[in-house]
Amino acid sequence: RSWRWSRLSGNRFSEVPPALLQLRGLRSLSFGGNRLHSIPPDIQELHSLEFLYLGGNFITAIPPELAKLPSLRYLVLCDNKIQSIPPQLAQLHSLRSLSLHNNLLTYLPREILNLVHLDELSLRGNPLVVRFVRDLTYNPPSLQELAGRTVKTRNVPYAPSDLPESLVRYLSLASNCPNPKCGGVYFDSCVRQIKFVDFCGKYRLPLMHYLCSPECSSPYSSASQSSTSQSESDSEDEASVAAHRMQKVLLG
């Protein structure tokens, strides 16, 4: 339990040994070049972890529990088969370097803008570098969602004793629409939209937005536009990204 560093790269592990997840004082874990297909949710127990290397595996998804590592500064997930980044990763407030090169990413979550201490973001070898998501669909909201939106947007008062527990829990899952002119909310049904954001004055990267309705979509940032028109337009997010943020965006 006094171990601080563990290097188990270049083996044939198909899963992280459960005993390893009991090392609460572990600060560095190298588990690259193995045969992992997933990251165990129990990795959230390693509260002291600062460096995590999982490159060169067969990982297809990142569990949201990974965001519960308050001390994590360096996260290496390169050379896997990851297709998307969970927005919860924005909770890694100590993160300084994120390596995601050679995966299957076509976009990044908008919440990545909240990683205020992130200095290096490696994305080369992902589809987002050469092609972008264009065919995005919108499924109309259900009656339950429409009712929930009304309750939230009009601030209808209610107490937990007034509604079934399942409805109270549902109402707590409302997400605010990022469109500053909207003020609406959504639950399950939303419009997925790609916006291109300039992180370091040279590269424009696609970020995924979730809007409450098609009316909130901006004609200048629609995913159906050509890359030329998108490169000529400035999104609202670009203005909010400080000049010193993410100075290293590695694409080549």
Side-chain angles (χ1 to χ4, degrees):
R1 294 183 181 273
S2 62
W3 283 5
R4 295 292 182 268
W5 299 272
S6 181
R7 299 179 179 88
L8 295 171
S9 296
N11 287 286
R12 298 185 178 183
F13 288 104
S14 59
E15 62 179 20
V16 178
L20 198 62
L21 302 175
Q22 303 299 317
L23 302 176
R24 300 293 191 266
L26 200 63
R27 294 183 181 179
S28 176
L29 174 59
S30 296
F31 217 83
N34 280 284
R35 298 180 178 180
L36 298 184
H37 284 80
S38 63
I39 303 173
D42 288 345
I43 200 168
Q44 63 181 318
E45 302 297 331
L46 302 178
H47 298 296
S48 300
L49 202 62
E50 299 178 3
F51 177 88
L52 178 60
Y53 189 101
L54 296 174
N57 281 284
F58 303 95
I59 299 169
T60 58
I62 302 173
E65 288 81 2
L66 191 63
K68 297 181 180 180
L69 298 175
S71 303
L72 195 63
R73 295 165 58 89
Y74 302 93
L75 176 58
V76 181
L77 294 168
C78 61
D79 299 293
N80 279 287
K81 300 181 181 297
I82 299 170
Q83 300 183 37
S84 63
I85 305 298
Q88 290 87 347
L89 228 60
Q91 300 172 19
L92 294 173
H93 300 302
S94 300
L95 197 64
R96 294 189 175 276
S97 177
L98 177 58
S99 296
L100 294 166
H101 51 273
N102 297 332
N103 276 285
L104 302 175
L105 299 173
T106 54
Y107 63 86
L108 299 176
R110 180 178 184 270
E111 288 77 5
I112 201 170
L113 294 173
N114 297 327
L115 294 174
V116 295
H117 295 297
L118 192 64
D119 294 326
E120 183 176 87
L121 177 63
S122 179
L123 294 167
R124 66 182 185 274
N126 279 282
L128 65 79
V129 178
V130 294
R131 66 180 177 86
F132 307 102
V133 178
R134 298 186 183 278
D135 298 322
L136 303 178
T137 59
Y138 173 67
N139 296 318
S142 63
L143 291 177
Q144 181 185 34
E145 175 151 353
L146 289 174
R149 292 186 183 194
T150 301
V151 170
K152 286 294 185 179
T153 55
R154 301 199 177 191
N155 295 317
V156 177
Y158 66 91
S161 58
D162 298 334
L163 301 172
E165 183 180 351
S166 59
L167 287 181
V168 174
R169 185 167 55 251
Y170 179 79
L171 289 171
S172 68
L173 299 176
S175 299
N176 293 324
C177 181
N179 185 345
K181 299 180 181 180
C182 174
V185 299
Y186 64 88
F187 293 86
D188 302 311
S189 179
C190 58
V191 177
R192 295 187 301 160
Q193 179 193 51
I194 295 294
K195 276 193 175 183
F196 287 72
V197 175
D198 187 347
F199 282 101
C200 59
K202 184 177 181 181
Y203 300 112
R204 298 170 62 87
L205 301 178
L207 297 188
M208 179 66 82
H209 285 224
Y210 295 92
L211 303 166
C212 67
S213 71
E215 286 73 21
C216 288
S217 299
S218 167
Y220 295 105
S221 55
S222 172
S224 62
Q225 284 188 313
S226 67
S227 58
T228 301
S229 60
Q230 284 171 346
S231 66
E232 295 173 350
S233 64
D234 292 329
S235 72
E236 295 172 358
D237 287 310
E238 287 189 53
S240 66
V241 179
H244 66 278
R245 292 276 302 281
M246 300 187 192
Q247 293 295 318
K248 291 184 179 179
V249 179
L250 307 180
L251 295 176

